[in-house]
Amino acid sequence: MKTTMQLLLLLLGLGKVGLSTVCAQQVTVATDGSGQFRTIQAALNSLPAEAVKPRTVYIKNGVYNEKVFIDGKANIVLRGQSEKGVILTFSQARDAWRCDPVAGQDDWGVAVLNLRNSPDVTLEKLTVINSYGFEHQNKPEVIINCPAEPGKPKTISPTGHQMAMRTMPGATRIIVRSCTFRSLGGDTVSPWDTEAGLYYFKDCTMEGAVDFYCPRGWAYAENCLFVCHNLNAAIWHDGSGNKDSKTVLKNCRFVGDDNFKLGRFHREAQFYLIGCQFAKNMADADIYWAESGPGAKQWGRRVYYADCHRQGGDYAWMRSNLATAEGGPTVARITPAWTFGGRWNPLTGQRSTTPPPPAVQDTIAEKMLVFQRSVGGWPKAVGEVKVNYDHRLSTVQRASTLDDRNRNDATIDNNATTREITYLVQAFRRTNNPAYRQAAERGVRYLLTMQMRSGGFPQFYPDSSSYRGQITYNDDAMVRALRTLKAVSEQKDDFALLDWSLVGPAKDAVARGVQCILKTQYVQRGKLTAWCAQHDRRTFLPTKARAFELAALSGDETVGITEFLMSLDKPTPEVKRAVEAAVSWLNEVKMPGLSMREIKDLSQPSGRDRVIVPEVGSTLWARFYDLETNQPIYVGRDGLKRTKLAEIENERRVGYVYASTWPAKLLATNYPKWQARVNGEASQK
């Protein structure tokens, strides 16, 4: 019979793969050995990635102490024998997971049940428990060494983030029925795909601390019980990927610790609460914008109620306001199909056959997507040709550039990568094209990855050949990276549109970068002075780069570093001391009465020249100063120090800026303003 079936499938063109996909299969898991598998993961591993029909993993009652990963497998059903009888449990604090320098680079694996790149998964009759908080309840906080952040011990709280379920992009159209999710921490149920996430929950129980139900994208929960053990918020939503994104909670009940708050949002969000019941001890606090986030700026506050009531009497903010929502939907219209905007109906399985409207495109942003390397950063040039986004890309050039995405040339030199991140964030705001935000976020993650343990940034990453792996201030490379990460950490302007999970790592990266800056400030005979273009990544001492870039104090890079330190909101005494020392040094080494002129000179190989000439009222600073004497030095391609610009070759004189007025604005305007600010803040204390 089996041979006959195989022959039939071969005639149909399905072959061996068809046999496993057409015959919808069920495998059984049991801890006592009565099924084909003893662990849920082993059962999942046995299933092929693709199938025409759903494959069922039937789980008999028992306690399963394991993490479960559904990765790259579609059409899966995890069905328990009974909701209370099937318990999947594991102890995992998110903060501890993120300290792993390899596994903890993102949230993949942080939860008990982890899904990514796996559409059309159904969960039924399961209890999923992240037990870390319950095990450490009423115990002291745990302090661990954090390899991902060397020298910075991490405090692990019993009520910190603890995910029972975490879905990542590619895990969409998720159905969850009659399941319980428990933790004593935040983000217990975290279905996170801002652009494409579609999630349906029915007859479920969810328990946890702050934001313990926190969907991104589209979510519908019906007849669910929410149990809150935190006073900040029970529910949360991120709808920033699409104006239509929403979270609907229909006929749900909320209970929890005394004075627990209903919900909050950090970014664009849209809440619909229909027929919900609230415990008497819930705080008199409407769903609110968390001030640590950017809030709703594009689409305004969108929080709607209909027929919601509290035991002991309704609060004023619970009154029905559904008519004020866009389109004025009625309660009867708010169904799963309406929630998902016709993209999917979880009750029928129907999906939209209408392709989504084409995303609005920005021509420069599109070219930036083409040039982005697989590591997340961008090149400044391809070979000897500078990347120029104003130039047209032919079909052949586009294809060859995409084929070249694994090239080892991503860098932060010459404003590469930071320029693209900034532009793409702005393009996303203008177009709402998710591809631009995703590319910008990959760029930010590249900056986070390339940062050294010392806090410094190399010029290139992962290429560390020659001087490319040293701490690089040259042309403000590291400063630009830190300014970008600072904007991410502060959710400044359009950077508020980026993934919220980047905020914490960006803040830590800036703090480590500042410490690196303080460690690299050159001490000359016991006195703090300035910075060099490059510093050794291990010793922090000045080091050379190209032949004409010797280890020397910089009258250019010192300005950018000092301006960055002055941009810090609450400068420490060490930061203040560094700024004062740098300003003092810049005043000490200035060259008054001199000016740089570019002249026509046909006797020179280039037909022009640059000369330093006397000029009353003008002041210059040299690009390089001797480390010990503070005397200006001029170095050509032969690598020899000279005391006069005219003594080096013409090609370098006209091809490199050896003297200019870089510190002028800092000393005349910005530094006095900074002094007034920090002195004013000090006087108010």
Side-chain angles (χ1 to χ4, degrees), residues 592-648:
L594 295 176
S595 176
M596 174 76 81
R597 296 277 181 86
E598 184 159 328
I599 62 173
K600 184 177 181 179
D601 187 345
L602 297 180
S603 68
Q604 298 294 337
S606 65
R608 60 193 179 94
D609 207 352
R610 283 181 183 157
V611 295
I612 295 176
V613 298
E615 183 175 320
V616 176
S618 180
T619 300
L620 282 180
W621 282 263
R623 178 73 178 265
F624 301 122
Y625 291 87
D626 186 87
L627 290 171
E628 299 307 318
T629 66
N630 285 336
Q631 294 302 306
I633 59 174
Y634 305 94
V635 184
R637 291 193 181 276
D638 59 7
L640 300 177
K641 291 183 185 180
R642 293 179 172 86
T643 59
K644 295 180 180 179
L645 179 63
E647 294 175 342
I648 65 173

Side-chain angles (χ1 to χ4, degrees), residues 478-609:
M478 175 166 159
V479 167
R480 286 195 183 99
L482 287 174
R483 286 190 181 279
T484 301
L485 292 171
K486 185 171 181 285
V488 174
S489 71
E490 295 173 349
Q491 299 193 296
K492 185 178 180 181
D493 301 327
D494 295 334
F495 286 93
L497 301 172
L498 296 184
D499 189 339
W500 173 252
S501 68
L502 295 171
V503 172
K507 184 177 181 180
D508 290 341
V510 171
R512 290 192 290 123
V514 170
Q515 290 305 307
C516 179
I517 288 173
L518 298 179
K519 290 176 182 177
T520 49
Q521 190 169 18
Y522 188 65
V523 178
Q524 189 183 80
R525 294 182 292 279
K527 179 182 178 182
L528 280 176
T529 58
W531 290 269
C532 306
Q534 290 85 213
H535 287 255
D536 187 277
R537 62 179 177 266
R538 296 183 180 88
T539 67
F540 298 105
L541 293 174
T543 189
K544 72 182 293 292
R546 292 173 287 188
F548 52 90
E549 294 170 328
L550 301 184
L553 296 175
S554 172
D556 180 4
E557 279 74 20
T558 291
V559 174
I561 296 168
T562 305
E563 293 272 15
F564 173 73
L565 291 178
M566 292 194 306
S567 74
L568 301 176
D569 290 336
K570 296 179 180 179
T572 63
E574 293 78 13
V575 168
K576 293 178 184 177
R577 186 160 54 248
V579 170
E580 299 289 355
V583 168
S584 176
W585 181 83
L586 289 169
N587 277 315
E588 181 183 340
V589 301
K590 64 186 177 183
M591 301 185 294
L594 295 176
S595 176
M596 174 76 81
R597 296 277 181 86
E598 184 159 328
I599 62 173
K600 184 177 181 179
D601 187 345
L602 297 180
S603 68
Q604 298 294 337
S606 65
R608 60 193 179 94
D609 207 352

Side-chain angles (χ1 to χ4, degrees), residues 265-427:
F265 56 97
H266 285 87
R267 55 202 317 116
E268 300 291 345
Q270 187 172 195
F271 295 84
Y272 289 82
L273 284 87
I274 311 298
C276 293
Q277 300 293 318
F278 308 118
K280 183 178 181 179
N281 65 343
M282 186 175 76
D284 185 1
D286 197 355
I287 294 174
Y288 65 97
W289 160 38
E291 294 185 4
S292 57
K297 294 182 178 179
Q298 298 182 84
W299 305 316
R301 175 182 168 81
R302 298 180 297 167
V303 179
Y304 308 108
Y305 300 93
D307 195 27
C308 291
H309 302 286
R310 166 183 168 267
Q311 293 175 350
D314 298 345
Y315 294 132
W317 48 266
M318 294 176 184
R319 63 182 178 273
S320 295
N321 64 341
L322 195 56
T324 66
E326 185 173 347
T330 62
V331 169
R333 277 188 60 201
I334 298 180
T335 63
W338 175 88
T339 300
F340 300 122
R343 297 165 180 82
W344 175 53
N345 186 339
L347 303 184
T348 64
Q350 183 178 1
R351 304 180 199 172
S352 172
T353 57
T354 304
V360 178
Q361 293 188 341
D362 177 296
T363 56
I364 289 179
E366 288 296 313
K367 283 178 272 192
M368 288 179 173
L369 298 185
V370 173
F371 277 94
Q372 189 172 26
R373 299 313 195 198
S374 58
V375 294
W378 281 265
K380 65 176 181 179
V382 180
E384 298 299 321
V385 181
K386 291 183 179 179
V387 175
N388 187 336
Y389 295 114
D390 292 328
H391 289 174
R392 179 181 172 274
L393 268 183
S394 69
T395 302
V396 172
Q397 288 172 323
R398 177 186 175 87
S400 63
T401 303
L402 287 171
D403 287 342
D404 219 19
R405 60 186 175 273
N406 291 323
R407 183 188 282 262
N408 194 27
D409 59 357
T411 181
I412 56 172
D413 192 29
N414 290 5
N415 205 17
T417 297
T418 51
R419 166 186 59 178
E420 284 85 357
I421 291 170
T422 302
Y423 187 92
L424 286 165
V425 171
Q426 295 168 347

